[in-house]
Amino acid sequence: MAAVTLLEARGLTRHFDGLKAVDGVDFDLHQGEIHALIGPNGAGKTTFVSLLSGRIPVQSGTIRFSGRDITHLPAHARVRLGIAYTFQITQVYGALTVFDNVALAVQSRHSHRLRDDAMAALTRVGLQDRADQTAGTLSYGHQRLLEVAMGLGLDPKLLILDEPTQGLAQGEIETFKDIVRGVVPAATVLLIEHNMDVVMDLAQRITVLNFGEVLATGTPEAIRADKAVQTAYLGG
Amino acid sequence: MTAAVLALTASGLSLVFGIMRVVNVAHGAFFMLGAVLAWFVSEWVPGPAGLSFAVALVVCPLIVGAIAAAADMAVLKRLNYEPEATIVATIGLLYILEQAALSFFGPDARPVPAPLDFRIQLPWFGYSGYKLAVIVGAALVLLMVWLILKHTKAGLIMRATQIDRDTARAFGINVDRVYAGVFAMGAGLAAIAAVLIVPIQQAHYLMGGDPLLLSFIVVIIGGLGSLRGTLVAALIIGLGDGVISTFFAPTLAKILATLAVGLILVLRPQGLFGKRAA
Amino acid sequence: MTVDRALFLHLGLIAALLAFHFVAPAYHHTNIARIMVLAIYAMGYNIAFGYTGLLSLGHALFFGSGLYAAGLLAYHADGTAGIGLIAGLLAGGAVAFALGLFALRTAGVAFMIVTLMFAQAGYLTVLYFGSYTRGDEGIVIPKAGRMLASLDLSDDNTRYLVALALFAVALLVNLWLARSPRGRIMVAMRENEERSRMLGYNPYTVKLTALTISGLYAGLSGAAYALMFGYAGASLASVQYSILPLLYVLLGGAGTVIGPFLGALLMFYLIDYASSITDAHQFVTGVALVLLILFAPKGILGTIRERGLKWLP
């Protein structure tokens, strides 16, 4: 199949006080794929997606999204272009209702059907019955789902999920996998994930980062077979 | 002269901000309290001006420090030193202290006699002996603060607390006591400065406003929380103050000064001499 | 369909204040008129502080802008009250916008000090141009300048009703804003700025808008104060007048629509009562600030909302 490139990073670099958190990374995302980003702790995964989402300014290199250079675009403008980021550490608005949380995402794209769209996003993660509950009183698992619903509410072209299954029970992980499968191919998913079962199950392609550099990119089978990856990460 | 007293007042503010991350809006009120108490001491202690002055120099900072420590323990500690809440609380404190001074001291400005009165006649200009003594005295106090911070166990504990409150607590440092002590010390420094200046400038219940503003300027230009930056900035401002006020009307000079502080905070939040925080 | 309890409550307050007009003794009648004008100021402060989380110590600059826009126009240019109110509204908004351009590059403590400094510079500017503003002594606005079309604002009854009309509009606009999507964005910015940025909102423009709206309220209130009570003096632009709305909002409940009015009402009478038994009214202000921040940082209505009346806007 002829893959259409949604996002393209070239020579992306970010150092912190001499620490090469991200060092000259080339990276392509295909439209409609689920792409997993893996690597040991401190490999630069979160820094890398922070560069993509604009939370951290790029030191050198370029990022193109839908054919447009977004390297120096501020984070909020990238969100408007369709890059949604869900936080590794849950950051819902604890004092607001579940509905308001998602409504904030929906109204960000100037939807004219605020209530319908917000409820639709909540329904996709199964929280529609809790719309009036205060978000801070939700269980941890439900807060993670709300976080995802906020991402969906933005109706993004690219949904970046930063360790979404961390701390979830097995049953919740299954629900979560179904949600992610439902996002593609209308949108594209970039997933940082430690749980290898989830990665191998969901991802069509995987990129392995190590010491801020790309170690390998390929299908789950190719990555599993890659000697360099096995030594660096999978523990041989 | 101005620079010396200013440096003393500002170092108190800087100390409190540097170690506790508390912006003490009541700092000027502590300064005023020191001056007003000095007047009471000069009234009540009999004998020569020098004696009552010496008593004031010891007693006023202690009383002001005690009040500050009490305020810290009763109010700031309970706010968990949350920055915005502590500012609101110290504004309240400022009101309370000013009102107390107004009620017990009255609305008038009152003079305090100078402990020594002679002029040093240098070849090209004369200089009041008292002013010279103030400069020397202020310099000595600052040196002492410096030495305490750098070379004593108490100073080490303060610096440890500054770097990481929680770790300091984990190492068995009584952070509450350190904070109360630092807050008292900051207020005490302002009080010493006030006692020193009050023979030249009369005591008045609203006299805290200008030193507060100037201290803000000094601390902000010097870099928030850096004692060395504070000293350099105080010298520049103190010496510069005379220069500026010869060119502008006092009100205009103040307008320019306040605008400058605002703009510096916007453009260079780390201060003119401070290093950018990582 | 549920009744719109919130709208009902706010219309009820306006109706009660109208009823009060007919029964009130003269002394309280004047007080309430003054409180309503100050409540507009506090509502504006609340839009910045209570809803958006911008703790400013410089709102006297916006209040003073409105005060002097109206006062100076009436005093030096024979402006009428209608022009004065509009000029005050715009002056407050414009000054808030201009200050926000700079000050909103900072946050938290730095924002507090920057706003404090700019407001102090504004206060000193009033003193510096004493030949026009008459400084601390202030200007007394001539009766001709206090005419709103054919309404004479120096008349007690007219003043009360005009104050009520302005208050009612300000309150209902505030209610609408608080329940609108834009109000939700402001609250989101207060709750979690980084999260809001990652939902596509530019924190700088959201805060600048909120501060400007806040300035419009403060400016309108300042102008109304000058025209209704016939006086504009430097003390009304001093730092005390930056603290005042903070106090009202903290007492009544930050982030509630009626809170600012409730806070202004209670604080006004508390100080009024304290002044009748002692001259130490500053003491009351100071103690109130300390006690509120210590024991009830959410204020009266904030606490009530937390304890059950969740629908309270």
Side-chain angles (χ1 to χ4, degrees):
Chain A
M1 73 176 190
V4 181
T5 303
L6 177 68
L7 180 140
E8 172 190 295
R10 288 294 172 266
L12 214 54
T13 299
R14 176 74 207 198
H15 297 175
F16 295 112
D17 291 331
L19 172 76
K20 295 173 177 177
V22 173
D23 195 33
V25 168
D26 295 342
F27 179 79
D28 291 282
L29 264 179
H30 299 162
Q31 193 128 39
E33 71 171 336
I34 298 177
H35 194 122
L37 193 60
I38 63 172
N41 280 325
K45 302 182 297 288
T46 292
T47 306
F48 178 67
V49 294
S50 295
L51 293 174
L52 296 185
S53 65
R55 297 183 70 205
I56 300 177
V58 172
Q59 205 162 352
S60 65
T62 57
I63 308 169
R64 296 182 71 79
F65 181 74
S66 298
R68 185 178 160 185
D69 187 343
I70 60 161
T71 313
H72 300 292
L73 221 53
H76 59 87
R78 296 188 200 190
V79 176
R80 293 266 162 102
L81 283 181
I83 301 179
Y85 175 83
T86 67
F87 287 78
Q88 177 180 9
I89 298 158
T90 309
Q91 296 216 21
V92 298
Y93 302 103
L96 305 187
T97 63
V98 169
F99 175 82
D100 280 345
N101 270 273
V102 179
L104 276 163
V106 173
Q107 73 187 56
S108 168
R109 58 181 163 93
H110 304 293
S111 161
H112 295 294
R113 300 183 309 137
L114 186 57
R115 173 154 282 279
D116 293 350
D117 286 355
M119 288 314 292
L122 282 175
T123 307
R124 282 173 80 175
V125 301
L127 287 179
Q128 67 278 15
D129 294 335
R130 298 180 180 272
D132 292 328
Q133 198 174 333
T134 306
T137 63
L138 289 176
S139 70
Y140 176 78
H142 283 152
Q143 289 195 13
R144 297 290 321 171
L145 288 176
L146 176 57
E147 181 88 39
V148 174
M150 290 163 80
L152 296 176
L154 287 166
D155 195 17
K157 293 186 184 130
L158 167 60
L159 180 62
I160 300 175
L161 299 165
D162 197 347
E163 303 210 10
T165 65
Q166 196 180 39
L168 292 190
Q170 193 54 45
E172 293 172 322
I173 290 178
E174 292 306 319
T175 317
F176 169 80
K177 284 201 282 198
D178 289 339
I179 294 169
V180 173
R181 283 198 195 94
V183 173
V184 291
T188 308
V189 173
L190 175 60
L191 178 74
I192 297 184
E193 186 55 67
H194 274 303
N195 185 328
M196 274 306 134
D197 294 337
V198 174
V199 170
M200 293 301 170
D201 211 14
L202 278 180
Q204 281 127 28
R205 292 201 306 148
I206 296 173
T207 292
V208 187
L209 278 186
N210 198 20
F211 297 115
E213 294 176 350
V214 175
L215 199 60
T217 298
T219 59
E221 295 72 34
I223 293 298
R224 234 193 286 258
D226 192 309
K227 283 278 181 289
V229 175
Q230 283 174 5
T231 31
Y233 185 53
L234 298 176
Chain B
M1 165 66 206
T2 325
V5 174
L6 193 56
L8 216 50
T9 317
S11 67
L13 193 72
S14 182
L15 199 66
V16 168
F17 184 82
I19 293 174
M20 302 168 62
R21 298 275 121 188
V22 164
V23 176
N24 180 15
V25 184
H27 196 64
F30 287 136
F31 177 88
M32 175 274 295
L33 208 58
V36 166
L37 287 172
W39 180 84
F40 277 111
V41 170
S42 78
E43 287 292 293
W44 289 340
V45 175
L51 177 66
S52 70
F53 182 81
V55 172
L57 206 48
V58 175
V59 169
C60 296
L62 286 180
I63 297 178
V64 172
I67 292 174
D72 173 76
M73 287 187 284
V75 180
L76 301 186
K77 192 181 116 186
R78 287 159 178 264
L79 294 173
N80 211 11
Y81 301 99
E82 202 270 306
E84 296 189 344
T86 50
I87 290 194
V88 174
T90 54
I91 291 172
L93 197 60
L94 163 74
Y95 278 156
I96 294 171
L97 292 177
E98 275 187 1
Q99 182 67 55
L102 179 62
S103 297
F104 295 106
F105 179 75
D108 304 322
R110 301 182 195 192
V112 173
L116 30 109
D117 188 21
F118 61 90
R119 289 178 74 78
I120 297 170
Q121 203 58 47
L122 293 175
W124 55 94
F125 67 104
Y127 210 83
S128 149
Y130 178 69
K131 288 190 178 180
L132 210 60
V134 167
I135 295 175
V136 174
L140 279 177
V141 173
L142 281 174
L143 189 68
M144 245 166 63
V145 173
W146 179 268
L147 289 177
I148 289 174
L149 278 181
K150 283 285 165 196
H151 295 291
T152 66
K153 186 145 177 278
L156 181 69
I157 289 175
M158 282 186 210
R159 281 181 290 140
T161 313
Q162 168 183 21
I163 293 165
D164 190 335
R165 173 155 56 134
D166 296 328
T167 310
R169 209 190 292 277
F171 275 94
I173 293 176
N174 185 340
V175 173
D176 293 341
R177 195 149 35 151
V178 174
Y179 274 19
V182 168
F183 202 63
M185 195 163 148
L189 285 170
I192 295 177
V195 174
L196 287 175
I197 206 167
V198 86
I200 300 165
Q201 204 184 60
Q202 301 184 342
H204 182 251
Y205 83 104
L206 286 178
M207 73 188 290
D210 283 353
L212 178 67
L213 174 62
L214 282 172
S215 295
F216 264 132
I217 299 176
V218 165
V219 170
I220 285 163
I221 291 180
L224 287 168
S226 136
L227 202 56
R228 193 171 5 183
T230 304
L231 295 183
V232 177
L235 276 175
I236 294 172
I237 300 274
L239 300 177
D241 196 39
V243 181
I244 294 171
S245 44
T246 52
F247 285 108
F248 299 108
T251 311
L252 188 57
K254 268 197 226 167
I255 294 177
L256 295 176
T258 40
L259 285 179
V261 175
L263 285 176
I264 288 170
L265 261 180
V266 171
L267 302 175
R268 274 188 70 90
Q270 74 275 31
L272 285 184
F273 301 108
K275 280 193 229 95
R276 190 177 284 277
Chain C
M1 197 55 216
T2 54
V3 188
D4 191 338
R5 286 177 292 193
L7 185 63
F8 229 65
L9 176 72
H10 291 77
L11 291 175
L13 173 66
I14 293 166
L17 285 168
L18 181 62
F20 189 75
H21 169 64
F22 298 102
V23 297
Y27 176 67
H28 295 289
H29 194 259
T30 312
N31 279 352
I32 297 290
R34 199 181 292 263
I35 287 167
M36 285 191 289
V37 172
L38 287 174
I40 298 175
Y41 181 25
M43 273 188 250
Y45 189 85
N46 192 28
I47 288 171
F49 168 61
Y51 287 97
T52 320
L54 296 169
L55 213 173
S56 143
L57 294 180
H59 261 58
L61 184 63
F62 316 146
F63 185 78
S65 299
L67 185 88
Y68 277 103
L72 292 176
L73 270 177
Y75 190 72
H76 291 291
D78 300 325
T80 60
I83 295 172
L85 285 176
I86 293 170
L89 177 83
L90 296 180
V95 171
F97 178 79
L99 175 66
L101 283 179
F102 288 101
L104 287 172
R105 296 185 184 281
T106 64
V109 170
F111 179 76
M112 296 168 82
I113 300 179
V114 169
T115 49
L116 181 69
M117 289 298 153
F118 276 93
Q120 187 66 17
Y123 167 68
L124 291 168
T125 306
V126 171
L127 295 183
Y128 185 68
F129 290 102
S131 51
Y132 298 97
T133 63
R134 297 171 56 90
D136 274 326
E137 197 184 321
I139 50 180
V140 174
I141 296 160
K143 193 170 160 137
R146 299 171 67 187
M147 296 298 291
L148 187 67
S150 60
L151 300 173
D152 179 5
L153 294 184
S154 60
D155 171 71
D156 282 347
N157 284 317
T158 315
R159 177 168 60 202
Y160 186 96
L161 291 174
V162 172
L164 177 59
L166 290 177
F167 173 77
V169 171
L171 188 78
L172 294 176
V173 169
N174 190 352
L175 178 64
W176 166 79
L177 181 69
R179 301 206 291 182
S180 74
R182 179 161 290 284
R184 184 155 46 207
I185 298 170
M186 281 164 24
V187 171
M189 210 48 81
R190 175 191 77 197
E191 290 291 312
N192 190 337
E193 180 170 330
E194 178 63 7
R195 207 341 158 189
S196 306
R197 196 159 71 97
M198 298 316 290
L199 285 180
Y201 300 109
N202 185 346
Y204 186 70
T205 50
V206 171
K207 290 194 245 178
L208 189 58
T209 311
L211 195 67
T212 306
I213 298 173
S214 179
L216 289 169
Y217 268 79
L220 176 68
S221 168
Y225 200 93
L227 297 167
M228 290 183 182
F229 304 101
Y231 169 79
S235 67
L236 295 172
S238 68
V239 65
Q240 270 86 348
Y241 268 74
S242 290
I243 308 298
L244 213 55
L246 169 65
L247 193 60
Y248 294 162
V249 168
L250 275 178
L251 177 61
T256 63
V257 179
I258 292 185
F261 171 76
L262 186 65
L265 180 73
L266 293 176
M267 207 63 221
F268 190 94
Y269 275 102
L270 184 64
I271 291 178
D272 190 56
Y273 175 70
S275 308
S276 66
I277 49 174
T278 153
D279 58 354
H281 70 269
Q282 249 200 33
F283 187 77
V284 178
T285 313
V287 171
L289 271 178
V290 173
L291 291 182
L292 278 172
I293 201 77
L294 265 182
F295 300 110
K298 293 200 160 106
I300 296 170
L301 290 180
T303 309
I304 290 177
R305 173 158 62 185
E306 213 172 43
R307 298 273 163 85
L309 290 185
K310 265 177 77 174
W311 52 271
L312 207 64

